[in-house]
Amino acid sequence: MAQVRQRDTSSDSDSLQRPAAPRIVDRSGMPIESQQTAQLWYLRVEEDARLQRAALDATANAIVITDTDGVIRWVNPAFTTLTGYSAEEAIGLTTRLLRSGGQTEAYYRELWETITAGEIWRGELLNRRKDGSLYVEEQTITPVRNALGRISHYVAIKQDVTERSQRARELEAVSTVSAALRIASTRAEMLPVILEQICNLLHADGAMIAIHDRASGEVFLERGYGAMAGMSGLRVSADSGVIGHVLRTGEPYQTADIWSDPHLSQIHTGRLNESLAVAPLSAQNTLIGALIVSRAMIGGCGEEIFNDAELRLLISIADIAASALRRAELHEQTKQRLQRLQAIHNVNITISASLDLGVTLGVLLDHVIEQLRVDAAAILLFEPRSLCLEYAAGRGFRTHGIEGVRLALDDPAAGKAVIERRPISLPDLSQHTPFVRARQIDGEQFSSYYNIPLIAKGYVRGVLEVFVRRAWKVDADWDESLHILAAQATVAIDNTALFESLQRSNMDLALAYDATIEGWSRALDLRDRETEGHSQRVTTLTMRLAHALKVGEEGRIHIQRGALLHDIGKMGVPDAILLKPGPLDSAEWVEMRQHPTYAYEMLQPIIYLRPALDIPRYHHEKWDGSGYPHGLKGDAIPLAARIFAVADVWDALRSNRPYRQAWDAEVVRSYITAQAGRHFDPEVVRAFLALDVDV
Ligand code: C2E
Ligand code: SIN
Ligand code: SIN
Ligand code: FE
Ligand code: FE
């Protein structure tokens, strides 16, 4: 079958009315006119014209042909679909018909200068349809020349790219918010940024972050902005309302009529007409709350509800916000844990230095109040001869009532803790009226009570009691702190009772430290799901290597703590870098290379961890001096860090990372062998190969 190729129309005169005479070729491109009859030739021309016309009619792109003044001569049906103007309406008018005011005069001047110069113009225009609605079109205007080489017409091909350009704007908005959040490191700094940006982006006049408090089953309206500012700090039920609905379904929700919505909101701003959109905030597959925006509806209903693009944007911003908030939470948790370690250390010093129980317990209770953020605390000692609990020390009380306390074991709070050997909580004292100790604590206005028995070597020594005057919720961290402080109180009491056990009590305390560090290191691994268990495995391997290299017992204790905390500095590295699924760019590397320095800055204030700092600080130094952050070389790198480096790289390469899959054991072994004398201390590599690690 012969093919038909259209001749270059731009040099053909009046190609619009009459299609150009086609050049008929066979498959190899050889002209075959000579083989055709004239009749057949004309039939073809007519058929070609019909086919071309059909193609122009069927194409999805709008096509406009104008004369050199921009007067429309011909449009295809897609033009009518795009703009709403029929061919009859458009022909004879100029293309200015579609102008929306979205471009400057200069923009059109540039366009016209391009096409009158005979060049093709390509670009985007914000135009207006017949019905007044706006759309973004991508347009290519090609000048068409007549036989004399003069421009006679312009052919414009238009495509509706509203959707595409909307996406581009969304991406831009998302990156603005990400950039703003990257600078903020605490929750307090992040919340206003999130709320302000979302209001700007969605032209909303109110926004709010609501957090799901699982312990109480309530929604905490943490921070409102604009029209929703007045709701900051309120709590509402998670069982009803739009927020509750979003938390239950995990799906975004929007309502244009808050008054008749089936999930009637408890969070309306009191305005007569407003539309509301709510997106779930979820971090690591857990719903932590919701991001809400509100917009006043001026003209009643209809136009001001949030459209699909706006909802998409809200969801994207909610995702970014959730991950930033998680980062802030981890950061703040880490700071709290550091403080707690410091506190444990201070108490330890006091306990070792003083054998006066009154002084020791006083210092301890100061820490209890500060660390647990409670209002008052007391220690009752168990008197084995009389089987009574007697007041020994107290802090934070307004009255002296507590000082006379002497309780038998049938007391339903402290006594019960002794008999059942477990903590007792009375979170709502108003439900226990009269509280058995009403007389002693009359006038204190406590609302909650918690205690924990102090048990040493199987004997109950006493009870630590804490009291709160406000509405109060405990979480796992608080509970852990209570247990650690109770262990310290027990040690203190035990110390004075039994001098000879001093040595052993210190050991108990060291255990409490190490339990804290281990829990903390697990929390660090959790930030990056892919490295779960990494710290623990690396620590085990480092300890084996240290043993093989004859590091003494004292040194190994510090190596263990250092290894567990080696990447604590990654706390300071944003998610966008840490969890990036591909290679890091140079700016990101600068940030990533800070992590040993961050670790040093975070841990250095804790005296007890100072001997353990070598690993967090120097684990990325390399034997040949090419490592970071100090570029130390050979023996100048502390031995602990040289040992650790091999273990870390082994485990890193044996695990999946966001940026690559795990390597096979043999491949990693030969890599480590090859790096002896470059990345690694050859002695350590020898010891490593001798261990024959296989997992
Ligand atoms: P990490 O994942 O715990 O890796 C620790 C060390 O193991 C690395 O230190 C490197 O010496 C070695 N290692 C890990 N993966 C590879 C690998 O695929 N090839 C080779 N040859 N060695 C590997 P380094 O390079 O200083 O990196 C420090 C941290 O920077 C890494 O800790 C990781 O959190 C991050 N990182 C490194 N490269 C990338 C990357 O391409 N993308 C992302 N998102 N993060 C990276
Ligand atoms: C204009 O000049 O109004 C726009 C040009 C065009 O769309 O062809
Ligand atoms: C610094 O680089 O100045 C602090 C970190 C360190 O000394 O390891
Ligand atoms: Fe590291
Ligand atoms: Fe590591």
Side-chain angles (χ1 to χ4, degrees):
M1 243 255 264
Q3 298 185 314
V4 177
R5 283 195 192 153
Q6 196 180 338
R7 195 184 287 167
D8 183 0
T9 49
S10 61
S11 61
D12 188 31
S13 75
D14 215 0
S15 62
L16 305 174
Q17 276 72 27
R18 244 180 328 108
R23 196 159 143 258
I24 300 175
V25 295
D26 66 12
R27 258 179 211 289
S28 64
M30 292 294 291
I32 53 172
E33 288 104 298
S34 55
Q35 299 160 20
Q36 307 291 328
T37 65
Q39 191 190 12
L40 185 56
W41 194 85
Y42 279 110
L43 278 175
R44 292 246 164 182
V45 170
E46 246 173 57
E47 186 177 302
D48 291 343
R50 229 183 40 242
L51 284 172
Q52 285 169 9
R53 185 56 172 261
L56 293 179
D57 282 355
T59 180
N61 289 340
I63 301 176
V64 183
I65 297 172
T66 71
D67 63 18
T68 50
D69 296 326
V71 176
I72 299 174
R73 289 302 188 79
W74 183 86
V75 300
N76 71 346
F79 174 87
T80 303
T81 314
L82 174 66
T83 65
Y85 292 104
S86 67
E88 293 72 36
E89 288 169 318
I91 290 173
L93 299 177
T94 73
T95 50
R96 294 168 161 266
L97 173 71
L98 301 174
R99 286 196 182 187
S100 65
Q103 283 76 222
T104 59
E105 278 303 326
Y107 189 85
Y108 290 108
R109 209 177 310 122
E110 189 270 334
L111 181 162
W112 279 100
E113 279 165 9
T114 306
I115 59 178
T116 50
E119 279 162 31
I120 293 174
W121 184 89
R122 230 178 239 116
E124 280 188 9
L125 293 164
L126 180 68
N127 276 350
R128 190 184 296 283
R129 297 191 181 87
K130 184 180 174 186
D131 67 6
S133 62
L134 297 173
Y135 68 99
V136 182
E137 68 174 34
E138 186 182 74
Q139 174 163 247
T140 306
I141 309 177
T142 310
V144 181
R145 292 175 192 276
N146 61 19
L148 301 172
R150 294 190 37 195
I151 295 169
S152 63
H153 295 87
Y154 297 109
V155 178
I157 300 181
K158 299 164 175 286
Q159 187 182 0
D160 186 347
V161 294
T162 309
E163 179 96 341
R164 198 177 77 196
S165 80
Q166 174 70 31
R167 296 266 177 182
R169 272 206 300 280
E170 279 169 38
L171 269 178
E172 198 181 304
V174 164
S175 82
T176 308
V177 177
S178 300
L181 285 180
R182 197 180 271 198
I183 302 167
S185 67
T186 68
R187 199 181 178 86
E189 288 165 1
M190 286 175 179
L191 296 178
V193 173
I194 296 167
L195 296 172
E196 192 186 327
Q197 296 278 351
I198 195 79
C199 277
N200 289 345
L201 291 171
L202 298 190
H203 310 291
D205 45 20
M208 189 163 60
I209 298 257
I211 297 298
H212 189 191
D213 178 354
R214 282 170 196 280
S216 68
E218 288 171 328
V219 174
F220 174 52
L221 307 183
E222 183 166 355
R223 181 98 171 214
Y225 179 84
M228 299 189 123
M231 284 179 279
S232 295
L234 298 182
R235 289 176 169 272
V236 296
S237 162
D239 298 328
S240 59
V242 281
I243 302 180
H245 177 70
V246 167
L247 291 175
R248 268 192 309 283
T249 60
E251 299 291 333
Y253 186 76
Q254 84 148 319
T255 174
D257 181 0
I258 56 164
W259 299 105
S260 64
D261 193 87
H263 301 291
L264 177 67
S265 145
Q266 323 90 316
I267 57 164
H268 50 76
T269 53
R271 294 183 293 189
L272 225 42
N273 281 307
E274 75 181 322
S275 60
L276 214 58
V278 185
L281 285 172
S282 77
Q284 285 200 333
N285 301 325
T286 310
L287 275 180
I288 59 170
L291 177 61
I292 299 119
V293 288
S294 141
R295 189 150 73 188
M297 298 190 22
I298 306 140
C301 50
E303 262 182 25
E304 291 89 358
I305 71 167
F306 293 93
N307 64 30
D308 286 350
E310 289 172 324
L311 286 180
R312 255 195 333 262
L313 197 53
L314 177 66
I315 292 165
S316 307
I317 303 288
D319 284 348
I320 294 170
S323 113
L325 289 175
R326 194 179 109 249
R327 175 164 71 87
E329 191 183 308
L330 288 173
H331 201 97
E332 276 158 36
Q333 235 174 42
T334 299
K335 278 201 297 210
Q336 257 184 32
R337 289 200 160 104
L338 282 170
Q339 274 168 11
R340 201 201 299 167
L341 269 181
Q342 188 66 58
I344 293 173
H345 186 75
N346 292 346
V347 175
N348 191 26
I349 290 172
T350 314
I351 295 172
S352 332
S354 162
L355 290 171
D356 176 341
L357 190 58
V359 173
T360 306
L361 294 182
V363 171
L364 186 101
L365 289 177
D366 286 338
H367 280 282
V368 167
I369 288 180
E370 197 188 313
Q371 291 297 303
L372 300 180
R373 301 176 303 280
V374 294
D375 295 307
I379 286 177
L380 310 180
L381 289 180
F382 182 59
E383 186 52 62
R385 269 165 306 208
S386 60
L387 297 178
C388 277
L389 283 165
E390 276 184 39
Y391 171 86
R395 283 288 195 273
F397 293 92
R398 290 172 183 162
T399 67
H400 294 287
I402 186 82
E403 289 164 19
V405 164
R406 189 182 153 89
L407 301 169
L409 293 185
D410 61 358
D411 166 78
K416 190 170 171 186
V418 172
I419 289 180
E420 299 188 3
R421 297 176 154 255
R422 66 179 179 90
I424 304 295
S425 315
L426 302 174
D428 185 359
L429 289 178
S430 65
Q431 291 189 355
H432 296 272
T433 37
F435 183 44
V436 252
R437 307 242 297 276
R439 198 166 43 79
Q440 284 100 339
I441 61 166
D442 187 33
E444 293 281 359
Q445 289 165 330
F446 290 132
S447 55
S448 310
Y449 166 93
Y450 300 86
N451 74 25
I452 181 166
L454 307 175
I455 302 173
K457 302 180 200 96
Y459 293 100
V460 176
R461 306 280 179 198
V463 175
L464 168 63
E465 300 188 301
V466 301
F467 299 85
V468 187
R469 296 191 173 96
R470 305 150 271 158
W472 189 246
K473 290 283 169 309
V474 305
D475 59 21
D477 258 6
W478 189 88
D479 203 51
E480 197 189 324
S481 296
L482 178 66
H483 279 81
I484 290 176
L485 290 161
Q488 292 184 320
T490 310
V491 169
I493 296 164
D494 219 35
N495 273 354
T496 44
L498 303 152
F499 294 93
E500 69 274 22
S501 71
L502 192 63
Q503 196 60 30
R504 196 173 140 177
S505 309
N506 270 333
M507 210 172 75
D508 288 351
L509 265 179
L511 288 178
Y513 285 154
D514 286 339
T516 306
I517 292 177
E518 246 172 74
W520 187 11
S521 136
R522 266 195 305 278
L524 293 173
D525 282 357
L526 271 181
R527 166 117 183 264
D528 179 357
R529 267 161 299 169
E530 309 250 23
T531 61
E532 209 173 323
H534 167 68
S535 297
Q536 194 61 57
R537 286 192 308 271
V538 163
T539 303
T540 308
L541 179 54
T542 306
M543 295 302 278
R544 286 178 66 193
L545 279 170
H547 186 75
L549 287 162
K550 312 248 178 311
V551 176
E553 197 182 332
E554 172 76 11
R556 289 213 303 274
I557 290 175
H558 300 308
I559 288 183
Q560 175 168 26
R561 292 173 187 158
L564 279 169
L565 297 176
H566 73 277
D567 267 342
I568 188 171
K570 283 184 182 170
M571 244 344 147
V573 177
D575 275 5
I577 297 177
L578 187 67
L579 305 180
K580 183 177 178 183
L584 305 180
D585 65 27
S586 58
E588 291 165 339
W589 263 118
V590 169
E591 181 72 18
M592 182 56 89
R593 292 213 175 94
Q594 293 284 321
H595 81 273
T597 305
Y598 290 156
Y600 172 78
E601 286 163 358
M602 289 168 112
L603 298 180
Q604 185 275 127
I606 304 177
I607 296 159
Y608 141 79
L609 286 177
R610 272 190 202 158
L613 263 173
D614 281 349
I615 291 177
R617 186 178 183 186
Y618 299 119
H619 71 286
H620 287 295
E621 299 292 347
K622 294 187 178 177
W623 183 256
D624 65 6
S626 66
Y628 60 88
H630 298 284
L632 298 184
K633 202 168 175 166
D635 289 338
I637 307 167
L639 177 63
R642 279 181 273 146
I643 295 176
F644 175 82
V646 173
D648 189 35
V649 171
W650 163 265
D651 194 82
L653 290 173
R654 291 289 291 130
S655 316
N656 292 326
R657 284 284 189 272
Y659 55 92
R660 61 143 177 77
Q661 290 292 301
W663 295 5
D664 284 338
E666 277 321 308
V667 178
V668 182
R669 219 189 300 281
S670 41
Y671 176 79
I672 288 179
T673 311
Q675 290 292 323
R678 288 140 99 176
H679 188 160
F680 307 121
D681 177 351
E683 277 302 314
V684 179
V685 173
R686 243 193 300 284
F688 169 78
L689 293 173
L691 276 190
D692 203 21
V693 180
D694 50 14
V695 259

